[in-house]
Amino acid sequence: MKEILEQDLDQDQHTQRILKHFVGDIRGPKDGPTIIAVAGMHGNEPTGVVAIQRVIDILEPLKEEISGRFIGLQGNISALLEDVRFVEEDMNRLWVTSILDKVRRTPFESLKTPDRAELKELLCILDPIVLESPDEEIIYIDIHTFSGTGGMFSITPREERHVELLSQLKIPLVFGVEHALVGTSMEYVEDAGHIGFAFETGSHETKEAEENAYAGLLVLLVAAGLVPANRLEHFGDYYSYLMNKVEGYPHKVQFVYKHIIEEGDDFEMLDGFQNFDPVKKGDWLANDRYGKVFAQNDGFILMPLYQKQGNDGFFIVKAVE
Ligand SMILES: [Zn+2]
């Protein structure tokens, strides 16, 4: 009897933990897409969670006008509480089929890291939607921020339905990074046949990153047909704000190079690099314990690393078209 009671208690605890991931969930009376926005997959990137909360607040009174469903989630709550990228494992590198399968089969108390427990909780929410509704239109947005400075962008597969939707945001689209970053949640959504992309909105914990995420989400919701533009207060202002922000950046770029940091490299990026700064092959970009790190290609620099946690030093991308 005691055992059963304890089990019930555990069950309840897990349910509580799972529910905590919801920032909000709004379903309208009309048919339409299911849009899932996740933020805080990295715990030192809380601005996206605030932006999602603001979207929920603006949608709530418009419930009757909504076609489809908007779900806002926060990712790694343990890491968010500690304001670290991850506790023991990068949660956004675990979405590999074999790891997901193992995490699903392992009881909560036997999972080897807190980040895996967070992942399992998210899967309890996402699996029934993403895996069990192949015919529904699902759009998944993974919101991030970066440690450097410079313009926002989206990481997306180079597929027509993605490009068509994201082109309405006019933010630079970065193709091919999905092959360089294995195990992101985007991959899990893509494998299930849905639209999934990452939205890198600005520098960590800045008001600008929050505004960019908020404006970007609103434009996307309208573009996807979830809510009519004329029902959203100040939509025009946010649209112009976004257009203003992305002016002067390349529209479409292709991943060409990633500097991988290995354990003990003591990698240090030189000061002052911003997203989309042009670089030439041979430019001095960083230092590590072996000396100077030079650009291996011409192109634009992306996501220069200015924080301790993380294994990607910088990316180089090239304009396409
Ligand atoms: Zn991130």
Side-chain angles (χ1 to χ4, degrees):
M1 184 65 184
K2 189 169 167 282
E3 250 176 41
I4 292 170
L5 274 175
E6 269 175 7
Q7 230 175 37
D8 282 351
L9 207 71
D10 271 5
Q11 232 17 66
D12 209 46
Q13 241 176 23
H14 293 315
T15 311
Q16 289 305 324
R17 290 194 51 146
I18 291 163
L19 290 176
K20 269 199 179 149
H21 287 274
F22 279 96
V23 182
D25 183 0
I26 298 179
R27 203 193 292 253
K30 301 172 217 160
D31 283 344
T34 295
I35 301 182
I36 307 168
V38 183
M41 195 75 82
H42 290 133
N44 60 334
E45 305 176 13
T47 50
V49 181
V50 181
I52 290 176
Q53 183 63 60
R54 286 172 62 191
V55 170
I56 297 285
D57 292 344
I58 200 172
L59 290 182
E60 195 74 53
L62 303 174
K63 223 173 184 164
E64 292 309 308
E65 322 254 351
I66 288 172
S67 307
R69 183 180 180 192
F70 179 79
I71 304 168
L73 300 173
Q74 46 181 342
N76 195 336
I77 297 173
S78 312
L80 279 163
L81 287 171
E82 291 181 38
D83 195 24
V84 289
R85 184 176 167 92
F86 52 83
V87 182
E88 286 177 43
E89 278 182 289
D90 192 331
M91 193 189 186
N92 207 29
R93 301 290 181 272
L94 295 174
W95 302 72
V96 177
T97 308
S98 65
I99 297 179
L100 294 179
D101 173 54
K102 198 193 298 175
V103 166
R104 287 188 191 104
R105 286 185 282 119
T106 312
F108 274 104
E109 44 287 352
S110 310
L111 289 165
K112 65 178 190 182
T113 65
D115 312 281
R116 289 192 185 214
E118 298 282 340
L119 173 60
K120 189 175 172 81
E121 287 156 21
L122 272 187
L123 288 175
C124 290
I125 298 168
L126 291 173
D127 276 353
I129 303 167
V130 173
L131 303 185
E132 285 153 37
S133 327
D135 299 327
E136 264 180 60
E137 187 188 0
I138 293 170
I139 300 168
Y140 175 89
I141 311 153
D142 185 17
I143 300 175
H144 288 263
T145 52
F146 39 77
S147 62
T149 53
M152 64 182 124
F153 57 93
S154 169
I155 295 173
T156 170
R158 195 174 182 172
E159 271 181 38
E160 208 180 312
R161 55 196 188 129
H162 293 68
V163 176
E164 201 179 304
L165 176 70
L166 290 170
S167 293
Q168 304 196 50
L169 253 83
K170 309 273 193 297
I171 60 174
L173 305 184
V174 182
F175 303 130
V177 173
E178 70 271 19
H179 304 300
L181 291 181
V182 175
T184 69
S185 57
M186 215 171 109
E187 194 175 312
Y188 152 81
V189 178
E190 287 291 323
D191 286 350
H194 302 297
I195 293 184
F197 59 90
F199 182 18
E200 297 274 354
T201 71
S203 308
H204 292 334
E205 308 202 33
T206 57
K207 188 69 192 168
E208 189 188 4
E210 183 196 314
E211 286 304 308
N212 293 349
Y214 181 65
L217 279 173
L218 291 187
V219 174
L220 254 171
L221 298 189
V222 168
L226 188 106
V227 63
N230 60 10
R231 301 298 300 145
L232 288 173
E233 223 180 314
H234 308 301
F235 178 75
D237 296 344
Y238 282 105
Y239 188 79
S240 346
Y241 166 87
L242 202 70
M243 293 309 115
N244 213 10
K245 282 277 164 182
V246 296
E247 217 185 289
Y249 289 110
H251 289 313
K252 291 170 188 166
V253 297
Q254 172 72 38
F255 162 83
V256 282
Y257 179 79
K258 172 175 92 159
H259 181 84
I260 300 164
I261 303 172
E262 293 186 288
E263 184 116 25
D265 271 358
D266 298 329
F267 175 88
E268 214 168 319
M269 195 77 204
L270 294 190
D271 282 339
F273 284 106
Q274 298 203 353
N275 286 338
F276 300 106
D277 276 352
V279 291
K280 286 249 167 275
K281 184 176 178 175
D283 282 356
W284 180 22
L285 302 178
N287 293 312
D288 62 19
R289 63 180 303 170
Y290 309 101
K292 293 180 177 176
V293 177
F294 299 108
Q296 303 293 313
N297 304 78
D298 293 348
F300 302 101
I301 203 147
L302 206 63
M303 290 191 280
L305 187 74
Y306 290 108
Q307 66 185 11
K308 286 272 170 268
Q309 281 183 309
N311 303 97
D312 310 311
F314 57 85
F315 293 76
I316 294 177
V317 295
K318 258 186 176 161
V320 291
E321 289 180 340

